[in-house]
């Protein structure tokens, strides 16, 4: 399984957004940007969460887009310094982030589930179970959530990882 095969490439702009999605968008704006009528699923909890069929999950804070998550297997791919963020071995992904942080002076944060974040870039990498292995799943988060102890302690946002049966969305 390769990290890039057949995936749409989304540009990531720290503090701005990823692909066609911009932080601060309303749910209606997000649906228009993703060219869908509505999300595949809406999830309750401390944040409004919408899951889209193409492997994109979004979270809102007070009705405005605050976080975008890209599935490890399906949907768009985003890059940091030319390195694909989704669908990688989590140990290699963590090492890449550690090396990038050392080289560029990024601020590091480990979340309660031992995911690693570059907080000044608004990037959190989680591990997602895919069959018998785990692969990296990037979340792009507004800076205010990393700055706030309340939000920082509640990242990652999902209660349980999304599970796939070797490439098939559940």
């Amino acid at each position: 399984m390769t990290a890039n095969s057949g995936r749409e490439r989304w540009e990531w702009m720290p503090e701005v957004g990823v692909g066609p999605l911009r932080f601060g968008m309303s749910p209606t704006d997000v649906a228009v940007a993703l060219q869908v009528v509505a999300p595949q699923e809406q999830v309750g909890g401390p944040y409004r969460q919408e899951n889209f069929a193409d492997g994109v999950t979004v979270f809102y804070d007070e009705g405005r887009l605050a976080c975008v998550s890209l599935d490890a297997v399906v949907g768009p791919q985003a890059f940091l310094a030319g390195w694909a963020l989704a669908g990688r071995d989590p140990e290699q992904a963590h090492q890449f982030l550690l090396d990038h942080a050392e080289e560029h002076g990024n601020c590091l944060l480990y979340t309660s589930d031992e995911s690693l974040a570059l907080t000044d870039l608004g990037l959190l990498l989680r591990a997602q179970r895919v069959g018998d292995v785990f692969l990296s799943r990037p979340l792009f988060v507004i800076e205010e959530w990393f700055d706030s102890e309340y939000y920082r302690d509640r990242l990652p946002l999902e209660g349980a990882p999304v599970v796939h049966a070797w490439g098939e969305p559940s």
Side-chain angles (χ1 to χ4, degrees):
M1 182 179 314
T2 64
N4 297 320
S5 62
R7 297 182 84 150
E8 182 180 352
R9 183 182 182 122
W10 274 15
E11 181 182 1
W12 167 42
M13 298 157 288
E15 300 181 35
V16 176
V18 60
L21 304 177
R22 301 293 176 265
F23 295 127
M25 286 180 145
S26 71
T28 301
D29 292 338
V30 167
V32 168
L34 294 176
Q35 301 177 357
V36 298
V37 175
Q40 183 180 21
E41 175 183 48
Q42 292 182 337
V43 180
Y47 317 96
R48 179 176 175 179
Q49 174 183 337
E50 294 181 339
N51 300 330
F52 293 89
D54 62 356
V56 176
T57 300
V58 298
F59 301 87
Y60 300 94
D61 186 14
E62 297 182 14
R64 297 290 171 204
L65 183 63
C67 178
V68 178
S69 175
L70 302 180
D71 189 88
V73 178
V74 299
Q77 177 65 275
F79 298 81
L80 173 60
W83 199 80
L85 294 167
R88 305 302 287 257
D89 174 86
E91 288 182 30
Q92 291 175 350
H94 278 204
Q95 190 59 55
F96 173 80
L97 290 188
L98 291 170
D99 293 345
H100 189 276
E102 183 178 342
E103 182 179 337
H104 298 281
N106 300 114
C107 299
L108 294 169
L109 169 75
Y110 281 95
T111 61
S112 59
D113 75 337
E114 300 181 16
S115 295
L116 182 60
L118 300 180
T119 59
D120 53 328
L121 296 181
L123 173 64
L124 171 67
L125 273 189
R126 295 195 64 205
Q128 176 183 324
R129 186 178 176 89
V130 180
D132 293 335
V133 299
F134 286 89
L135 298 173
S136 62
R137 177 181 189 190
L139 285 83
F140 305 94
V141 183
I142 60 172
E143 184 179 357
E144 295 81 29
W145 280 11
F146 283 127
D147 289 343
S148 163
E149 186 175 334
Y150 172 83
Y151 288 110
R152 213 174 36 240
D153 290 347
R154 285 158 180 81
L155 291 169
L157 304 174
E158 304 98 334
V162 174
V163 178
H164 290 276
W166 289 106
E168 294 298 318
S170 58

